[in-house]
Amino acid sequence: METPANDPTPTPAQRALDVLAENTEDAAALDALANSDVLIPVPDDAGDADANPTAVALPVLEQPGGEPVVPVFTSEVEMAGLLPFVSRYRLVPLGALAAQWPADDLSLTIDGSSEHRLTLTSEGVRTLLARQ
């Protein structure tokens, strides 16, 4: 999907992240976040020929200290803030992604370069966001 013009209006996921920045246990905000769609970056050099439309390849980055993290974003603007070189993405329901999250030590970062970013451990992803 190409990046169209961006709307500055906060998405429901961004509003939920703002609430969670103040209260990490806000159930309504967690529900809103789990029911939101997120953008998963697709590297520009990834091929489309063999792509399975039901499978999602998770991009993994290393955090300082070497811990693996999957970055996802609530908007194109947020994605461009951290990964300006990526112009394609897949739109995926966060709760569905969380319900299939791997059992290893892979963390999830939502809007990693913003002031309302949220990083969850693998267990946190499955327990807090898999609310389907």
Side-chain angles (χ1 to χ4, degrees), residues 5-109:
N6 297 303
D7 181 359
T9 305
T11 66
Q14 289 169 333
R15 288 192 295 273
L17 288 172
D18 288 339
V19 170
L20 291 169
E22 300 294 322
N23 177 5
T24 57
E25 297 181 15
D26 187 295
L30 287 168
D31 284 340
L33 191 59
N35 290 309
S36 297
D37 289 338
V38 292
L39 287 63
I40 299 177
V42 174
D44 287 336
D45 60 354
D48 292 327
D50 306 317
N52 176 348
T54 62
V56 176
L58 298 177
V60 179
L61 303 176
E62 277 192 28
Q63 295 186 94
E67 305 225 358
V69 63
V70 173
V72 299
F73 303 91
T74 58
S75 71
E76 293 169 343
V77 171
E78 292 296 339
M79 186 171 74
L82 186 63
L83 303 173
F85 52 88
V86 175
S87 61
R88 298 185 310 152
Y89 59 85
R90 300 220 22 211
L91 194 61
V92 177
L94 184 56
L97 180 65
Q100 300 175 34
W101 199 254
D104 58 10
D105 290 333
L106 189 60
S107 296
L108 174 76
T109 294

